[in-house]
Amino acid sequence: MANRYSLSNDRGRSPLGAILKVIFQFIGIIIGILIAFQIQNWNSERDAMMSKVQHLQALQADAQENFKRIDDIEGNRERQVVLLEALIAAAANNVSDDTIRLAIDELLQQDFYSPTSSAYMNLIASGDLNITVPDSIRAILSNINQLQAKTLLMDAADANFIAEQLEPYLTKRQVIYLLELKTSNNRTDLTIANQQTGRIIKSLLQDRTFIDLIYLRMNRINETIEASTLILTQLERLTNELAFELARIEE
């Protein structure tokens, strides 16, 4: 009777409870997996956003540094133009000896613009440029790169003009040594140079070829200033666009 009662009790137990238990366990596992995936996705999105912010901030820092460099160089170039204009005017008008000497000193000087582009190059190397940077900012970056390439070519052409035309002319006239004595540490040399500079320059200014060389050098500097001004405008646009994008991300 006891065995029969036991068997009868087992047969009477419904399997629904066990099935529900398995189902609930399965649902719990699925929910756990979904939560884990959600956390992983959230972490990935957070990391991607942090990486984007860092890239944009790096681009902004490069843009600000390049703006400062060009702005400083443009100040020097504008000063050169003023002095070279005075040197040309000295051929026909009275210009102070000090101004003429300063102008002669600037005649062979050149400021080179070397852009900072590490952030941009890192984005290209990582393949994140199209992912991280909005289309509008990429367009400005592309425009800046084209303008910078043009300016670098102009700098190289100006350097060639100095090396191939100005310096050979001054060497042929046997005056380049005296014009470069300002870099000497020997005070006697400097005194001699200052005494003879006025006479040398007056002689040079009687030569139309020398005037033409000054004029050509001045035009080259002016052209570079114009090209650099375009870069400054684009860098300012880039800085503003980056600031706007960073503010949008942080909202």
mmCIF file of all heavy atoms in Angstrom, residues 133-166:
data_model
loop_
_atom_site.group_PDB
_atom_site.id
_atom_site.type_symbol
_atom_site.label_atom_id
_atom_site.label_comp_id
_atom_site.label_asym_id
_atom_site.label_seq_id
_atom_site.Cartn_x
_atom_site.Cartn_y
_atom_site.Cartn_z
ATOM 1 N N VAL A 133 35.494 62.868 -37.696
ATOM 2 C CA VAL A 133 35.409 64.289 -38.057
ATOM 3 C C VAL A 133 34.227 64.534 -38.991
ATOM 4 O O VAL A 133 34.108 63.872 -40.030
ATOM 5 C CB VAL A 133 36.721 64.743 -38.744
ATOM 6 C CG1 VAL A 133 36.655 66.219 -39.088
ATOM 7 C CG2 VAL A 133 37.914 64.459 -37.830
ATOM 8 N N PRO A 134 33.346 65.468 -38.662
ATOM 9 C CA PRO A 134 32.202 65.789 -39.528
ATOM 10 C C PRO A 134 32.648 66.286 -40.904
ATOM 11 O O PRO A 134 33.766 66.783 -41.068
ATOM 12 C CB PRO A 134 31.473 66.899 -38.751
ATOM 13 C CG PRO A 134 31.903 66.733 -37.338
ATOM 14 C CD PRO A 134 33.320 66.228 -37.395
ATOM 15 N N ASP A 135 31.739 66.163 -41.867
ATOM 16 C CA ASP A 135 32.053 66.542 -43.252
ATOM 17 C C ASP A 135 32.500 67.996 -43.365
ATOM 18 O O ASP A 135 33.442 68.306 -44.098
ATOM 19 C CB ASP A 135 30.828 66.319 -44.150
ATOM 20 C CG ASP A 135 30.481 64.847 -44.295
ATOM 21 O OD1 ASP A 135 31.346 64.010 -43.962
ATOM 22 O OD2 ASP A 135 29.361 64.539 -44.740
ATOM 23 N N SER A 136 31.820 68.896 -42.650
ATOM 24 C CA SER A 136 32.146 70.322 -42.768
ATOM 25 C C SER A 136 33.572 70.612 -42.302
ATOM 26 O O SER A 136 34.287 71.421 -42.907
ATOM 27 C CB SER A 136 31.155 71.150 -41.934
ATOM 28 O OG SER A 136 31.203 70.772 -40.563
ATOM 29 N N ILE A 137 33.991 69.923 -41.236
ATOM 30 C CA ILE A 137 35.350 70.131 -40.718
ATOM 31 C C ILE A 137 36.380 69.493 -41.643
ATOM 32 O O ILE A 137 37.454 70.062 -41.871
ATOM 33 C CB ILE A 137 35.459 69.571 -39.285
ATOM 34 C CG1 ILE A 137 34.563 70.378 -38.344
ATOM 35 C CG2 ILE A 137 36.903 69.602 -38.792
ATOM 36 C CD1 ILE A 137 34.552 69.878 -36.911
ATOM 37 N N ARG A 138 36.057 68.329 -42.202
ATOM 38 C CA ARG A 138 36.978 67.688 -43.152
ATOM 39 C C ARG A 138 37.193 68.574 -44.378
ATOM 40 O O ARG A 138 38.311 68.641 -44.909
ATOM 41 C CB ARG A 138 36.445 66.321 -43.581
ATOM 42 C CG ARG A 138 36.536 65.248 -42.522
ATOM 43 C CD ARG A 138 36.578 63.850 -43.126
ATOM 44 N NE ARG A 138 35.537 63.615 -44.091
ATOM 45 C CZ ARG A 138 34.314 63.193 -43.783
ATOM 46 N NH1 ARG A 138 33.991 62.972 -42.515
ATOM 47 N NH2 ARG A 138 33.415 62.979 -44.724
ATOM 48 N N ALA A 139 36.144 69.247 -44.810
ATOM 49 C CA ALA A 139 36.273 70.134 -45.978
ATOM 50 C C ALA A 139 37.223 71.286 -45.673
ATOM 51 O O ALA A 139 38.053 71.662 -46.511
ATOM 52 C CB ALA A 139 34.903 70.662 -46.375
ATOM 53 N N ILE A 140 37.118 71.853 -44.468
ATOM 54 C CA ILE A 140 38.018 72.948 -44.091
ATOM 55 C C ILE A 140 39.456 72.448 -43.988
ATOM 56 O O ILE A 140 40.389 73.109 -44.441
ATOM 57 C CB ILE A 140 37.565 73.579 -42.752
ATOM 58 C CG1 ILE A 140 36.165 74.171 -42.892
ATOM 59 C CG2 ILE A 140 38.543 74.670 -42.321
ATOM 60 C CD1 ILE A 140 35.585 74.675 -41.575
ATOM 61 N N LEU A 141 39.635 71.265 -43.384
ATOM 62 C CA LEU A 141 40.982 70.685 -43.263
ATOM 63 C C LEU A 141 41.607 70.460 -44.633
ATOM 64 O O LEU A 141 42.796 70.736 -44.843
ATOM 65 C CB LEU A 141 40.909 69.364 -42.497
ATOM 66 C CG LEU A 141 40.694 69.451 -40.984
ATOM 67 C CD1 LEU A 141 40.357 68.076 -40.415
ATOM 68 C CD2 LEU A 141 41.925 70.019 -40.303
ATOM 69 N N SER A 142 40.817 69.972 -45.553
ATOM 70 C CA SER A 142 41.320 69.742 -46.913
ATOM 71 C C SER A 142 41.739 71.055 -47.569
ATOM 72 O O SER A 142 42.795 71.143 -48.215
ATOM 73 C CB SER A 142 40.245 69.047 -47.754
ATOM 74 O OG SER A 142 40.665 68.880 -49.085
ATOM 75 N N ASN A 143 40.923 72.082 -47.386
ATOM 76 C CA ASN A 143 41.226 73.398 -47.953
ATOM 77 C C ASN A 143 42.502 73.968 -47.353
ATOM 78 O O ASN A 143 43.361 74.517 -48.060
ATOM 79 C CB ASN A 143 40.059 74.351 -47.707
ATOM 80 C CG ASN A 143 40.128 75.591 -48.570
ATOM 81 O OD1 ASN A 143 40.882 75.647 -49.531
ATOM 82 N ND2 ASN A 143 39.360 76.595 -48.217
ATOM 83 N N ILE A 144 42.656 73.814 -46.037
ATOM 84 C CA ILE A 144 43.864 74.306 -45.361
ATOM 85 C C ILE A 144 45.101 73.588 -45.878
ATOM 86 O O ILE A 144 46.144 74.215 -46.126
ATOM 87 C CB ILE A 144 43.731 74.124 -43.832
ATOM 88 C CG1 ILE A 144 42.704 75.110 -43.267
ATOM 89 C CG2 ILE A 144 45.081 74.332 -43.140
ATOM 90 C CD1 ILE A 144 42.382 74.894 -41.810
ATOM 91 N N ASN A 145 45.000 72.281 -46.052
ATOM 92 C CA ASN A 145 46.156 71.521 -46.550
ATOM 93 C C ASN A 145 46.574 71.980 -47.942
ATOM 94 O O ASN A 145 47.769 72.077 -48.245
ATOM 95 C CB ASN A 145 45.820 70.021 -46.579
ATOM 96 C CG ASN A 145 45.801 69.414 -45.186
ATOM 97 O OD1 ASN A 145 46.489 69.884 -44.290
ATOM 98 N ND2 ASN A 145 45.022 68.367 -44.999
ATOM 99 N N GLN A 146 45.596 72.270 -48.793
ATOM 100 C CA GLN A 146 45.911 72.757 -50.139
ATOM 101 C C GLN A 146 46.588 74.132 -50.085
ATOM 102 O O GLN A 146 47.571 74.378 -50.792
ATOM 103 C CB GLN A 146 44.640 72.821 -50.981
ATOM 104 C CG GLN A 146 44.029 71.463 -51.299
ATOM 105 C CD GLN A 146 42.710 71.578 -52.033
ATOM 106 O OE1 GLN A 146 42.337 72.638 -52.521
ATOM 107 N NE2 GLN A 146 41.980 70.481 -52.112
ATOM 108 N N LEU A 147 46.053 75.008 -49.242
ATOM 109 C CA LEU A 147 46.640 76.348 -49.107
ATOM 110 C C LEU A 147 48.046 76.282 -48.514
ATOM 111 O O LEU A 147 48.944 77.019 -48.939
ATOM 112 C CB LEU A 147 45.740 77.228 -48.228
ATOM 113 C CG LEU A 147 44.381 77.611 -48.813
ATOM 114 C CD1 LEU A 147 43.512 78.288 -47.756
ATOM 115 C CD2 LEU A 147 44.563 78.540 -50.019
ATOM 116 N N GLN A 148 48.236 75.395 -47.529
ATOM 117 C CA GLN A 148 49.550 75.256 -46.916
ATOM 118 C C GLN A 148 50.566 74.712 -47.908
ATOM 119 O O GLN A 148 51.712 75.169 -47.937
ATOM 120 C CB GLN A 148 49.464 74.342 -45.684
ATOM 121 C CG GLN A 148 48.800 75.001 -44.489
ATOM 122 C CD GLN A 148 48.713 74.119 -43.273
ATOM 123 O OE1 GLN A 148 48.579 74.592 -42.150
ATOM 124 N NE2 GLN A 148 48.773 72.826 -43.468
ATOM 125 N N ALA A 149 50.152 73.773 -48.726
ATOM 126 C CA ALA A 149 51.052 73.232 -49.745
ATOM 127 C C ALA A 149 51.479 74.321 -50.726
ATOM 128 O O ALA A 149 52.647 74.403 -51.119
ATOM 129 C CB ALA A 149 50.367 72.083 -50.490
ATOM 130 N N LYS A 150 50.525 75.176 -51.097
ATOM 131 C CA LYS A 150 50.833 76.287 -52.001
ATOM 132 C C LYS A 150 51.813 77.262 -51.356
ATOM 133 O O LYS A 150 52.775 77.718 -52.001
ATOM 134 C CB LYS A 150 49.542 77.013 -52.374
ATOM 135 C CG LYS A 150 49.756 78.206 -53.305
ATOM 136 C CD LYS A 150 48.437 78.898 -53.617
ATOM 137 C CE LYS A 150 48.659 80.118 -54.503
ATOM 138 N NZ LYS A 150 47.374 80.814 -54.797
ATOM 139 N N THR A 151 51.605 77.563 -50.067
ATOM 140 C CA THR A 151 52.477 78.493 -49.354
ATOM 141 C C THR A 151 53.886 77.929 -49.213
ATOM 142 O O THR A 151 54.875 78.663 -49.341
ATOM 143 C CB THR A 151 51.897 78.809 -47.961
ATOM 144 O OG1 THR A 151 50.582 79.347 -48.125
ATOM 145 C CG2 THR A 151 52.753 79.829 -47.235
ATOM 146 N N LEU A 152 53.995 76.637 -48.952
ATOM 147 C CA LEU A 152 55.313 76.006 -48.829
ATOM 148 C C LEU A 152 56.075 76.079 -50.155
ATOM 149 O O LEU A 152 57.295 76.279 -50.173
ATOM 150 C CB LEU A 152 55.162 74.553 -48.375
ATOM 151 C CG LEU A 152 54.652 74.355 -46.946
ATOM 152 C CD1 LEU A 152 54.432 72.873 -46.650
ATOM 153 C CD2 LEU A 152 55.625 74.950 -45.930
ATOM 154 N N LEU A 153 55.355 75.909 -51.252
ATOM 155 C CA LEU A 153 55.992 76.045 -52.570
ATOM 156 C C LEU A 153 56.462 77.482 -52.804
ATOM 157 O O LEU A 153 57.536 77.710 -53.377
ATOM 158 C CB LEU A 153 55.017 75.625 -53.674
ATOM 159 C CG LEU A 153 54.708 74.128 -53.783
ATOM 160 C CD1 LEU A 153 53.630 73.884 -54.840
ATOM 161 C CD2 LEU A 153 55.971 73.329 -54.131
ATOM 162 N N MET A 154 55.673 78.442 -52.354
ATOM 163 C CA MET A 154 56.056 79.855 -52.495
ATOM 164 C C MET A 154 57.293 80.163 -51.647
ATOM 165 O O MET A 154 58.193 80.889 -52.078
ATOM 166 C CB MET A 154 54.887 80.755 -52.091
ATOM 167 C CG MET A 154 53.695 80.640 -53.011
ATOM 168 S SD MET A 154 52.230 81.523 -52.410
ATOM 169 C CE MET A 154 52.746 83.211 -52.699
ATOM 170 N N ASP A 155 57.347 79.583 -50.435
ATOM 171 C CA ASP A 155 58.525 79.759 -49.586
ATOM 172 C C ASP A 155 59.768 79.188 -50.259
ATOM 173 O O ASP A 155 60.853 79.784 -50.221
ATOM 174 C CB ASP A 155 58.316 79.068 -48.230
ATOM 175 C CG ASP A 155 57.448 79.881 -47.289
ATOM 176 O OD1 ASP A 155 57.270 81.091 -47.542
ATOM 177 O OD2 ASP A 155 56.946 79.315 -46.299
ATOM 178 N N ALA A 156 59.611 78.016 -50.872
ATOM 179 C CA ALA A 156 60.741 77.378 -51.545
ATOM 180 C C ALA A 156 61.205 78.208 -52.739
ATOM 181 O O ALA A 156 62.413 78.368 -52.986
ATOM 182 C CB ALA A 156 60.353 75.971 -51.998
ATOM 183 N N ALA A 157 60.235 78.765 -53.488
ATOM 184 C CA ALA A 157 60.588 79.600 -54.636
ATOM 185 C C ALA A 157 61.308 80.869 -54.186
ATOM 186 O O ALA A 157 62.258 81.330 -54.831
ATOM 187 C CB ALA A 157 59.327 79.953 -55.429
ATOM 188 N N ASP A 158 60.861 81.434 -53.061
ATOM 189 C CA ASP A 158 61.511 82.627 -52.519
ATOM 190 C C ASP A 158 62.939 82.312 -52.083
ATOM 191 O O ASP A 158 63.864 83.102 -52.310
ATOM 192 C CB ASP A 158 60.700 83.162 -51.339
ATOM 193 C CG ASP A 158 61.159 84.542 -50.894
ATOM 194 O OD1 ASP A 158 61.691 85.297 -51.727
ATOM 195 O OD2 ASP A 158 60.984 84.878 -49.706
ATOM 196 N N ALA A 159 63.124 81.151 -51.443
ATOM 197 C CA ALA A 159 64.471 80.739 -51.023
ATOM 198 C C ALA A 159 65.390 80.571 -52.230
ATOM 199 O O ALA A 159 66.570 80.964 -52.203
ATOM 200 C CB ALA A 159 64.398 79.439 -50.230
ATOM 201 N N ASN A 160 64.848 80.008 -53.306
ATOM 202 C CA ASN A 160 65.641 79.854 -54.537
ATOM 203 C C ASN A 160 65.994 81.212 -55.141
ATOM 204 O O ASN A 160 67.100 81.396 -55.666
ATOM 205 C CB ASN A 160 64.866 79.014 -55.563
ATOM 206 C CG ASN A 160 64.801 77.547 -55.180
ATOM 207 O OD1 ASN A 160 65.659 77.052 -54.447
ATOM 208 N ND2 ASN A 160 63.797 76.848 -55.671
ATOM 209 N N PHE A 161 65.050 82.149 -55.081
ATOM 210 C CA PHE A 161 65.311 83.490 -55.606
ATOM 211 C C PHE A 161 66.464 84.154 -54.858
ATOM 212 O O PHE A 161 67.343 84.775 -55.460
ATOM 213 C CB PHE A 161 64.043 84.344 -55.479
ATOM 214 C CG PHE A 161 64.225 85.772 -55.896
ATOM 215 C CD1 PHE A 161 64.299 86.120 -57.237
ATOM 216 C CD2 PHE A 161 64.341 86.773 -54.941
ATOM 217 C CE1 PHE A 161 64.478 87.439 -57.624
ATOM 218 C CE2 PHE A 161 64.517 88.094 -55.326
ATOM 219 C CZ PHE A 161 64.592 88.432 -56.664
ATOM 220 N N ILE A 162 66.471 84.006 -53.534
ATOM 221 C CA ILE A 162 67.556 84.573 -52.731
ATOM 222 C C ILE A 162 68.880 83.915 -53.084
ATOM 223 O O ILE A 162 69.902 84.591 -53.295
ATOM 224 C CB ILE A 162 67.257 84.389 -51.225
ATOM 225 C CG1 ILE A 162 66.045 85.243 -50.819
ATOM 226 C CG2 ILE A 162 68.468 84.782 -50.379
ATOM 227 C CD1 ILE A 162 65.552 84.970 -49.405
ATOM 228 N N ALA A 163 68.859 82.565 -53.154
ATOM 229 C CA ALA A 163 70.101 81.818 -53.380
ATOM 230 C C ALA A 163 70.632 81.966 -54.795
ATOM 231 O O ALA A 163 71.851 81.987 -55.014
ATOM 232 C CB ALA A 163 69.876 80.345 -53.064
ATOM 233 N N GLU A 164 69.721 82.087 -55.771
ATOM 234 C CA GLU A 164 70.146 82.051 -57.173
ATOM 235 C C GLU A 164 70.258 83.432 -57.819
ATOM 236 O O GLU A 164 70.897 83.567 -58.871
ATOM 237 C CB GLU A 164 69.178 81.184 -57.973
ATOM 238 C CG GLU A 164 69.182 79.720 -57.534
ATOM 239 C CD GLU A 164 68.129 78.895 -58.247
ATOM 240 O OE1 GLU A 164 67.425 79.458 -59.140
ATOM 241 O OE2 GLU A 164 67.991 77.699 -57.922
ATOM 242 N N GLN A 165 69.628 84.455 -57.219
ATOM 243 C CA GLN A 165 69.682 85.779 -57.836
ATOM 244 C C GLN A 165 70.240 86.867 -56.911
ATOM 245 O O GLN A 165 71.191 87.567 -57.267
ATOM 246 C CB GLN A 165 68.291 86.184 -58.340
ATOM 247 C CG GLN A 165 67.764 85.254 -59.443
ATOM 248 C CD GLN A 165 66.547 85.816 -60.125
ATOM 249 O OE1 GLN A 165 66.536 86.954 -60.600
ATOM 250 N NE2 GLN A 165 65.487 85.008 -60.189
ATOM 251 N N LEU A 166 69.664 86.993 -55.715
ATOM 252 C CA LEU A 166 70.111 88.058 -54.818
ATOM 253 C C LEU A 166 71.540 87.842 -54.328
ATOM 254 O O LEU A 166 72.389 88.743 -54.446
ATOM 255 C CB LEU A 166 69.161 88.151 -53.619
ATOM 256 C CG LEU A 166 68.031 89.173 -53.725
ATOM 257 C CD1 LEU A 166 67.103 89.049 -52.532
ATOM 258 C CD2 LEU A 166 68.585 90.588 -53.821
#
